[in-house]
Amino acid sequence: MNYSEFFTNRPTEEIAKDLLGRTLSFNNGQEILAGTIVETEAYLGPQDRAAHSYNGRRSQANEGLYCPGGHLYIYSQRQYFFFDVATQEKDNPQGVLVRAIEPTAGLETMIKNRNGKDGRLVTNGPGKMMQAFGIHSRKWDLAALKDSPFTIDLANKRQIEEILPLPRVGINQSDPKWANKKLRYVVAGNPFVSDIKKKDIKLNHGFDKN
DNA sequence: TCGCGGATAGACT
DNA sequence: GTCTATCCGCGAG
């Protein structure tokens, strides 16, 4: 299985779910920073009101979505950055946003990059995750995943107890049909899921025993 | 532990 | 000038 196979030939929703439990890592040149993906969102292209490619919108800013599956779409908003992977074939502008990870390597560096923020505050949101990786530019926008310092482990995956589908976060509510569509997928009970309530956190973080 | 509002920067009209 | 696929600090309970 290579990246272009993984990120094409099936619905983007399915790809988003399949990413949960897999390891995302970033090589910053000094060490490997990594974590288990626990939250993703699917964006379904021109007909999806919440997608950056809604209605065929295309510019230098969102060109990444139009790349073949397995290429990166790094987007900046306010002072933060987002990590997206394009899905489907070239010119079919769908993609998956990785929103949160549970750190597994390089935690000390990630805490430092986050100005000392600790625990689940390190990576429980898309902007926070990229800050923890120490990314402050769109340098890897449009790059193929395989030619970038980012890696997603397609060979291994932690077993998840339950995948919870939820509405996406922070999108325009003017079209409730798309705003309420459950295209956000989370590992139920994992503490690094954004905005999870403390009482909903499970002791096993939502994973079956490995 | 919660809900609210301000900060802040790039893309687009 | 307007609008975000956000984050953080603050004050109330």
Side-chain angles (χ1 to χ4, degrees), chain A residues 135-198:
Chain A
I135 292 164
H136 301 285
S137 81
R138 296 179 61 196
K139 179 172 178 188
W140 297 106
D141 184 41
L142 308 181
L145 198 41
K146 68 173 168 52
D147 299 325
S148 79
F150 295 96
T151 307
I152 294 175
D153 186 345
L154 300 181
N156 305 288
K157 175 175 176 177
R158 291 176 76 181
Q159 219 45 46
I160 295 161
E161 271 184 359
E162 185 191 357
I163 294 177
L164 213 55
L166 298 169
R168 291 172 291 185
V169 174
I171 60 180
N172 193 334
Q173 296 290 320
S174 61
D175 187 342
K177 176 172 166 286
W178 281 97
N180 297 327
K181 238 175 163 36
K182 296 187 173 175
L183 294 174
R184 174 162 68 117
Y185 304 100
V186 311
V187 175
N190 187 279
F192 290 86
V193 167
S194 60
D195 288 336
I196 192 173
K197 293 191 176 62
K198 206 165 184 181

Side-chain angles (χ1 to χ4, degrees), chain A residues 2-67:
Chain A
N2 61 37
Y3 288 131
S4 54
E5 285 171 31
F6 185 91
F7 288 102
T8 56
N9 302 317
R10 52 186 175 150
T12 298
E13 299 97 303
E14 209 174 297
I15 297 168
K17 279 187 270 194
D18 197 5
L19 283 171
L20 296 177
R22 297 186 185 277
T23 298
L24 168 66
S25 60
F26 173 66
N27 184 340
N28 69 5
Q30 323 255 310
E31 66 177 314
I32 305 286
L33 308 177
T36 307
I37 297 171
V38 297
E39 179 172 358
T40 59
E41 282 180 358
Y43 287 88
L44 304 186
Q47 84 276 20
D48 181 352
R49 210 42 203 276
H52 288 166
S53 53
Y54 172 63
N55 204 17
R57 197 167 148 246
R58 181 172 190 166
S59 72
Q60 225 174 39
N62 70 353
E63 185 61 26
L65 283 173
Y66 288 82
C67 288

Side-chain angles (χ1 to χ4, degrees), chain A residues 63-186:
Chain A
E63 185 61 26
L65 283 173
Y66 288 82
C67 288
H71 285 240
L72 298 176
Y73 171 39
I74 310 277
Y75 177 79
S76 71
Q77 182 178 94
R78 319 286 208 295
Q79 65 270 56
Y80 300 103
F81 291 86
F82 300 98
F83 180 84
D84 293 53
V85 184
T87 62
Q88 309 310 330
E89 71 281 14
K90 182 170 156 52
D91 291 331
N92 184 346
Q94 305 193 29
V96 174
L97 166 68
V98 177
R99 287 186 56 87
I101 60 174
E102 174 173 339
T104 53
L107 182 60
E108 289 308 308
T109 301
M110 290 197 259
I111 291 175
K112 207 173 298 167
N113 288 340
R114 289 276 297 134
N115 298 317
K117 293 278 187 313
D118 212 340
R120 47 206 188 94
L121 297 180
V122 181
T123 51
N124 68 341
K128 301 179 195 181
M129 181 184 87
M130 291 296 259
Q131 202 177 65
F133 280 166
I135 292 164
H136 301 285
S137 81
R138 296 179 61 196
K139 179 172 178 188
W140 297 106
D141 184 41
L142 308 181
L145 198 41
K146 68 173 168 52
D147 299 325
S148 79
F150 295 96
T151 307
I152 294 175
D153 186 345
L154 300 181
N156 305 288
K157 175 175 176 177
R158 291 176 76 181
Q159 219 45 46
I160 295 161
E161 271 184 359
E162 185 191 357
I163 294 177
L164 213 55
L166 298 169
R168 291 172 291 185
V169 174
I171 60 180
N172 193 334
Q173 296 290 320
S174 61
D175 187 342
K177 176 172 166 286
W178 281 97
N180 297 327
K181 238 175 163 36
K182 296 187 173 175
L183 294 174
R184 174 162 68 117
Y185 304 100
V186 311

